[in-house]
Amino acid sequence: MEHLSTRGLPRLSWIDTLYSNFNYNTDGYDGDAAEDRKSQDGSETMPFIDESPTMSPQLCARGPDGEAVSPTPHEGLPGGDIEKGLEMKKLVLSGFLASEEIYINQLDALLLPMKPLKATATTSQPVLTIQQIETIFYKIQDIFEIHKEFYDALYPNIQQWDDKVTVGHLFQKLASQLGVYKAFVDNYKVAVETAEKCSQANVQFQKISENLKVKGPKDSKDCTTSVTMEALLYKPIDRVTRSTLVLHDLLKHTPKDHPDFPLLQDALRISQNFLSSINEEIDPRRTAVTTPKGETRQLVKDGFLVEVSEGSRKLRHVFLFTDLLLCAKMKKTAVGKHQQYDCKWYIPLADLTFQTLDDSDSCTHVQTLPEHEIDEMKTKISAIKSEIQKEKKAVKGQSRALDRLRKKMNEQESCLLLHSPTIPFRIHNKHGKSYLFLLSSDYERSEWREAIQKLQKKDLQACVLSSVELQVLTGSCFKLRTVHNIPVTSNKDDEESPGLYGFLHVIVHSAKGFKESANLYCTLEVDSFGYFVSKAKTRVFRDTTEPQWNEEFEIELEGSQCLRILCYEKCYDKSKLNKDDNEIVDKIMGKGQVQLDPQTVQSKNWHMDVIEMNGIKVEFSMKFTSRDLSLKRTPSKKQSGVFGVKISVVTKRERSKVPYIVRQCIEEVEKRGIDEVGIYRISGVATDIQALKAAFDTNTKDILVMLSDMDINAIAGTLKLYFRELPEPLLTDRLYPAFMEGIALSDPAAKENCMMHLLRSLPDPNLITFLTLLEHLKRVAEKEPINKMSLHNLATVFGPTLLRPSESESSKAHITLASDIWSHDVMAQVQVLLYYLQHNPISFTELKRNTLYFSTDV
């Protein structure tokens, strides 16, 4: 059962990011991670508890600020739905029980050194004093006993589950004991500070506090894991929030007339009131810093951004205060010394403007890595993840090899995050310099811009900091920061969900709440490898306040945990277009996000949801298909039609050299889609693609009319679908192993001979179709400055589609994990197609005439 309590929000709250395990160098991060989960923060701040109910297996709606709306309970559900809801309730409880066992083991590990420490406290050589012990371990024993009693009472109920079982009274009792947590939270700051001071003063205690052993679950192969005391002291803070989120989940799947409902509702009310009171008390202290003049300056937002400085990319930590924006990097410090930030620059918000390209004399040259190097990083990350999983199974607990692998993965992921963002975010000081950041998504850029603009609405006075004031402010950043880690896998707990791999089907239905008519469309973003990418875009619905898109998209997920939807007003003013390659000039009307909960989306049914954004409500539905299922090549059972039918059968029936569907789709794309940004990469509307598929399968007479009226991304999607659904790949199952071996050859002459011989070995219909597609893709890539589709981009899209073996063949080979998208096989498939795309024009006649296409003489 998945550990429910560890699935966090993509946005990095204080709870998600308390512990940093990453060191910095002068250019950003050096990848030499400190010990896993070990905090670098001698934090004097108090924890901010995130009380938003976002862990629901049913994806909940979002409020205007992205906050989740309380769950709506079942009302008068039909019998089948009640059973389903109670089954979901059992799943939620089982997951929570498993996480409760882990939590109890963590508390137990924390208590383990307490008795021997107390025993030595009265001797002539105490490790700690009684007062220090009582401060560090304050209320831990009480919390342990509360949760042990709760676990022992809940366990038999789950074991003997039926629709009459009640658990609400247990949660109600747990909530009534939150006063103990209040006492723990009040003492938390002092406890962490005391532990840190004692660790610095006493080597023996340092060894104890850095290597506490936590027992694994009963059914776990790994006996123990090593965790720091500081990390374990944080666990109760996290647990209060997680317990509250589970109550939201349970209420969603408990019918109103069930005896549990009022008890769970009462428990939730108590928990929420507790969290609110804690946050009201903590939040101002968490973010405030007092200036030498006695003014209060609060931290509003912080995060990691890539800055372009002197033509190079640098990873910076950016801090937005109530009156200024500060850009910093971590200073290099000797091991064991307190770490500090170094201010690179700051701009008073009163002097800050958002610069566009039109305002600047020239565009800064941005250093970019070739796409194949970006993909190589993803391949390495995937390979290291596999090695880590193998190492975990081979050894129990930590090992040096595991630490080395994590360090390697940290380096690769950090490098990927540094070089992947492309969307410009320009900041300008009215009295001086301009600065350029690169972000991975328009959503993120919008968040920063809105946060700054909201503060600028206040009556701000321009401030000039003295060197002492700047030093004090920069020094406070380390303690005030809310984002401690860059979003890489190596910074996550092992218990966290790895995300989803496969295809997410999303239908964007409609939107309401616009005050004036506008030309409206939506884009969809998902996270991948720690950053967000835009995956799909609806049509523009013109001059309306209630757009009805009803468009379906198929989005590939690569370890994704979150779906974002942005709603735009289309800009048709040509003077504002093409200001920059990656600049989006359309106005964002609203944005929101939902967590991709595996329990919810991994079912055969559609789940309808609503995202609320700035008073706008966007309705959408989604369902998920695992990668294994979605990539199966399924031969058509009927001999008519073209989809799922062998290419030789289709060409023979049509008496053509290239299938009609391929010729028509290519012709239409070249006629009106070759300048389309993201052609073949941006998803077409699924319903349009299915309509075209049906039309080609039935040989509809008005197919040409349909093609001329259809959105070009749908036509591109239909062509991709045709090749994906071939019963065997275009380059054949028989030759697949040889293509893999040929592309791996290092000698250019040998590779040329092999790759051309393999083409010559293809059946004529396959070969001619392949060469036709090849020349088309080359013509598309010629327009790369406009459509942003390079040869490598096109090879990434089409390579696996044209080469991936059919199920019968792939099952004979090694079985790859669903998560292994960037496996060596997939990358090799991309490289095969890229080889032919980069090759001089290949003539069918010349190819067949030459037995030896290229001399082997070197």
Side-chain angles (χ1 to χ4, degrees), residues 298-401:
Q298 286 195 315
L299 177 65
V300 177
K301 180 178 175 64
D302 69 300
F304 293 99
L305 298 180
V306 174
E307 183 188 12
V308 179
S309 176
E310 298 174 356
S312 297
R313 292 169 179 253
K314 315 281 186 181
L315 199 54
R316 305 295 195 206
H317 202 147
V318 181
F319 296 86
L320 174 62
F321 289 94
T322 41
D323 62 341
L324 62 85
L325 185 75
L326 185 146
C327 178
K329 70 171 185 180
M330 190 66 80
K331 283 182 182 177
K332 269 190 173 177
T333 54
V335 178
K337 289 206 172 180
H338 188 66
Q339 291 186 310
Q340 283 291 335
Y341 282 103
D342 180 22
C343 175
K344 298 304 295 179
W345 52 264
Y346 77 92
I347 304 177
L349 296 188
D351 297 332
L352 188 150
T353 60
F354 298 106
Q355 184 191 26
T356 64
L357 198 62
D358 291 350
D359 302 325
S360 62
D361 296 326
S362 61
C363 180
T364 309
H365 174 70
V366 180
Q367 175 191 30
T368 55
L369 276 184
E371 287 164 1
H372 69 88
E373 289 189 30
I374 295 282
D375 285 349
E376 280 169 14
M377 285 184 208
K378 292 179 179 179
T379 307
K380 285 177 185 174
I381 291 167
S382 178
I384 295 169
K385 280 182 182 176
S386 299
E387 287 181 52
I388 287 173
Q389 292 305 318
K390 288 175 188 173
E391 185 66 23
K392 279 182 182 174
K393 290 176 184 175
V395 297
K396 293 180 179 180
Q398 297 295 105
S399 74
R400 285 185 180 179

Side-chain angles (χ1 to χ4, degrees), residues 133 135 138 156 161 188 278 300 326 341 376 378 413 452 524 534 548 600 622 685 759 770 824 849:
I133 293 167
T135 301
Y138 185 67
W161 181 260
Y188 174 80
I278 292 295
V300 177
L326 185 146
Y341 282 103
E376 280 169 14
K378 292 179 179 179
E413 290 188 307
I452 292 169
L524 309 180
S534 184
Q548 301 283 330
T600 302
M622 59 184 173
V685 178
L759 280 191
F770 178 68
H824 289 292
R849 185 185 301 142

Side-chain angles (χ1 to χ4, degrees), residues 117-122 126 128-136:
L117 285 171
K118 276 187 175 179
T120 63
T122 54
L128 301 181
T129 66
I130 287 290
Q131 187 178 355
Q132 287 170 334
I133 293 167
E134 288 177 350
T135 301
I136 293 169

Side-chain angles (χ1 to χ4, degrees), residues 202-218:
N202 189 296
V203 177
Q204 198 176 347
F205 181 69
Q206 185 181 28
K207 287 180 181 176
I208 294 169
S209 65
E210 288 183 357
N211 195 28
L212 294 173
K213 301 293 183 183
V214 179
K215 289 183 290 185
K218 293 171 188 173

Side-chain angles (χ1 to χ4, degrees), residues 178 181-182 185 240 269-278:
L178 283 172
Y181 274 92
K182 176 71 168 69
V185 169
V240 184
R269 178 187 56 77
I270 296 168
S271 300
Q272 285 182 321
N273 289 341
F274 171 75
L275 288 176
S276 297
S277 66
I278 292 295

Side-chain angles (χ1 to χ4, degrees), residues 55-66:
M55 299 299 171
S56 174
Q58 292 287 342
L59 297 173
C60 51
R62 306 281 151 173
D65 298 315

